[in-house]
């Protein structure tokens, strides 16, 4: 078992620890989905239905590119069925809220970011179980894949509709409260990940870390990085503007790790969860670090070109305005009007300098 994620599951069989993690993961998922719903405006949804570019990009990025990428990485690194299921599950998840935060930092298109996250979450109800079924066929003869709880996965996904719908309702009736809930959900994302890392590292670290091979760490590093590249390439194919390309890139590489963790924790037997639990956490760590590097590089180099483009547009407007003023001055320079008294006005002709 040393070359896979198998093993280390005995600690998760502890009833109190298992229940505590289940409650934490469930609450975090509800808060995250509530925040996602609060970020969606009905007007934006109507626009996207009329011109569903965001929906199409979410479909291609999250349920074509990322599942295929996860499957290929699992094959290339010859993962066993336990590790492969963890990687596939993470690759088949919809987009996460981290992409919305990062899109703000790189001057991305926030409307596109939110719509892609919401669309991929709704599409996951049908496409995530389908992708898992299709790509797990390679390991179908193993006991774990035969027990893959696709029904429980669908049930967990369906349970996210209630907080999303509640969030949309709050946005419609109480916009200020919705803005506050969006901020709370983003902070809960960070706090939850930190708590999970501390709990698993403190209580299960020595036993669990001994069973995680280098190949799993390598995949956790490469997968979000490749996702960012695939998203940028996809947006380039659609001939989108640079700020939309950055948005699609982040949306494709950032996965909903809370959902992945919840599915692993709530749908698989406790004796197996220890062997698969760490991958979404590792993915969250590296997707955040790589997105942070993305933001840093943009702030150092890309933002100057962004400002120059913006200033260039303003300069064009100024030049047009100056030309207009010069033309006005030229038109009125043939004569000046002087008032000598209240009853008479004299026109003095002047010669225009050529």
């Amino acid at each position: 078992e040393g070359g896979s994620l198998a093993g280390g599951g005995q600690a998760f069989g502890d009833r109190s620890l298992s229940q505590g993690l289940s409650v934490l993961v469930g609450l975090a998922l509800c808060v995250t989905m509530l925040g996602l719903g609060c970020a969606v405006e009905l007007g934006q949804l109507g626009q996207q239905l009329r011109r569903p570019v965001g929906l199409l990009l979410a479909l291609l990025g999250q349920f074509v590119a990322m599942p295929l990428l996860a499957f290929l990485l699992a094959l290339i690194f010859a993962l066993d069925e336990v590790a492969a299921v963890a990687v596939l599950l993470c690759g088949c998840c919809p987009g996460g809220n981290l992409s919305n935060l990062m899109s703000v930092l790189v001057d991305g298109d926030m409307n596109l970011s939110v719509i892609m996250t919401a669309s991929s979450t709704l599409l996951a109800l049908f496409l995530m179980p389908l992708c898992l079924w299709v790509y797990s066929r390679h390991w179908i003869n193993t006991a774990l894949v035969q027990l893959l709880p696709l029904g429980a996965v669908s049930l967990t996904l369906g349970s996210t509709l209630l907080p999303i719908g509640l969030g949309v309702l709050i946005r419609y009736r109480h916009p200020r409260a919705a803005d506050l809930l969006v901020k709370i959900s983003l902070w809960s994302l960070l706090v939850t990940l930190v708590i999970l890392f501390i709990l698993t590292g403190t209580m299960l670290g020595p036993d669990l870390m001994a069973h995680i091979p280098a190949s799993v760490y390598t995949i956790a590093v490469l997968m979000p990085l490749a996702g960012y590249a695939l998203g940028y390439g996809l947006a380039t194919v659609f001939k989108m503007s640079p700020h939309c390309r950055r948005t699609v890139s982040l949306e494709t590489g950032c996965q909903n790790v809370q959902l992945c963790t919840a599915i692993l924790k709530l749908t698989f037997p406790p004796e197996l969860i220890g062997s698969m639990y760490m991958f979404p956490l590792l993915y969250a760590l590296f997707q955040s670090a790589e997105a942070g590097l993305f933001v840093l590089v943009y702030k150092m180099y890309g933002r100057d070109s962004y400002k120059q483009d913006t200033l260039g547009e303003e300069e064009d407007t100024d030049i047009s305005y100056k030309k207009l003023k010069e033309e006005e001055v030229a038109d009125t320079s043939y004569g000046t009007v002087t008032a000598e008294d209240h009853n008479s006005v004299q026109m003095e002709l002047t010669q225009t300098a050529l």
Side-chain angles (χ1 to χ4, degrees):
E1 294 179 352
S4 70
L5 283 177
Q10 294 82 3
F12 275 100
D14 181 81
R15 187 174 183 83
S16 59
L17 176 61
S18 179
Q19 290 180 346
L21 290 174
S22 297
V23 172
L24 176 62
V25 169
L27 288 176
L29 182 62
C30 287
V31 173
T32 300
M33 294 298 101
L34 178 65
L36 175 60
C38 288
V40 176
E41 294 185 3
L42 295 178
Q44 296 175 1
L45 288 177
Q47 293 176 2
Q48 288 300 319
L49 290 176
R50 290 190 294 271
R51 189 173 179 270
V53 177
L55 181 65
L56 179 60
L57 289 172
L59 172 65
L60 294 177
Q62 296 295 345
F63 302 108
V64 176
M66 291 304 291
L68 180 59
L69 174 63
F71 175 72
L72 293 177
L73 288 173
L75 288 182
I76 291 171
F77 287 92
L79 298 182
D80 72 349
E81 72 277 8
V82 178
V85 166
V87 172
L88 285 175
L89 187 61
C90 191
C92 295
C93 277
N97 285 26
L98 177 66
S99 60
N100 306 140
L101 176 61
M102 293 301 177
S103 294
V104 174
L105 298 178
V106 296
D107 298 317
D109 189 329
M110 275 307 298
N111 289 335
L112 177 62
S113 178
V114 171
I115 289 299
M116 284 189 66
T117 303
S119 299
S120 65
T121 302
L122 296 177
L123 288 171
L125 288 169
F126 310 100
L127 296 181
M128 188 175 176
L130 176 62
C131 289
L132 285 173
W133 181 81
V134 169
Y135 287 109
S136 65
R137 298 296 91 189
H138 181 78
W139 298 273
I140 190 60
N141 292 327
T142 62
L144 179 66
V145 174
Q146 289 177 353
L147 295 173
L148 189 63
L150 295 179
V153 170
S154 300
L155 182 61
T156 303
L157 288 167
S159 66
T160 63
L161 291 180
L162 181 59
I164 291 176
L166 179 60
V168 173
L169 181 62
I170 293 174
R171 165 62 65 181
Y172 179 73
R173 294 190 174 182
H174 308 285
R176 292 185 178 180
D179 292 335
L180 178 61
L181 288 173
V182 169
K183 294 179 181 178
I184 292 175
S185 69
L186 291 175
W187 279 107
S188 71
L189 166 65
L190 301 177
V191 172
T192 302
L193 292 177
V194 170
I195 292 175
L196 288 176
F197 269 114
I198 292 175
L199 286 177
T200 54
T202 302
M203 301 179 181
L204 310 170
D207 182 41
L208 191 60
M209 299 298 284
H211 295 87
I212 299 180
S215 59
V216 173
Y217 283 100
T218 305
I219 292 176
V221 173
L222 293 178
M223 193 168 157
L225 190 62
Y228 295 142
L230 287 172
Y232 198 89
L234 183 63
T236 303
V237 170
F238 277 78
K239 298 181 180 180
M240 305 189 76
S241 59
H243 72 288
C244 288
R245 293 179 189 178
R246 295 191 295 271
T247 303
V248 176
S249 174
L250 290 168
E251 281 293 329
T252 304
C254 289
Q255 302 296 89
N256 191 336
V257 291
Q258 295 104 312
L259 179 60
C260 184
T261 304
I263 291 174
L264 288 174
K265 187 69 188 70
L266 301 176
T267 63
F268 284 90
E271 60 272 13
L272 294 178
I273 190 62
S275 60
M276 297 182 291
Y277 190 72
M278 284 300 293
F279 183 78
L281 298 180
L282 291 174
Y283 189 96
L285 175 64
F286 290 113
Q287 82 170 4
S288 301
E290 291 166 7
L293 289 176
F294 191 153
V295 172
L296 180 62
V297 171
Y298 173 74
K299 295 292 186 183
M300 294 176 62
Y301 302 104
R303 192 162 190 174
D304 292 336
S305 60
Y306 176 79
K307 288 182 177 179
Q308 288 175 2
D309 293 339
T310 306
L311 290 174
E313 295 176 359
E314 294 177 353
E315 288 174 358
D316 291 342
T317 304
D318 292 341
I319 291 173
S320 300
Y321 178 73
K322 290 177 181 178
K323 287 181 179 179
L324 180 61
K325 293 298 290 182
E326 289 174 358
E327 291 174 359
E328 290 179 355
V329 172
D331 290 340
T332 59
S333 61
Y334 288 101
T336 57
V337 179
T338 60
E340 294 184 351
D341 53 42
H342 295 289
N343 298 321
S344 65
V345 178
Q346 179 181 0
M347 177 73 75
E348 295 181 357
L349 296 177
T350 61
Q351 184 176 1
T352 303
L354 297 177

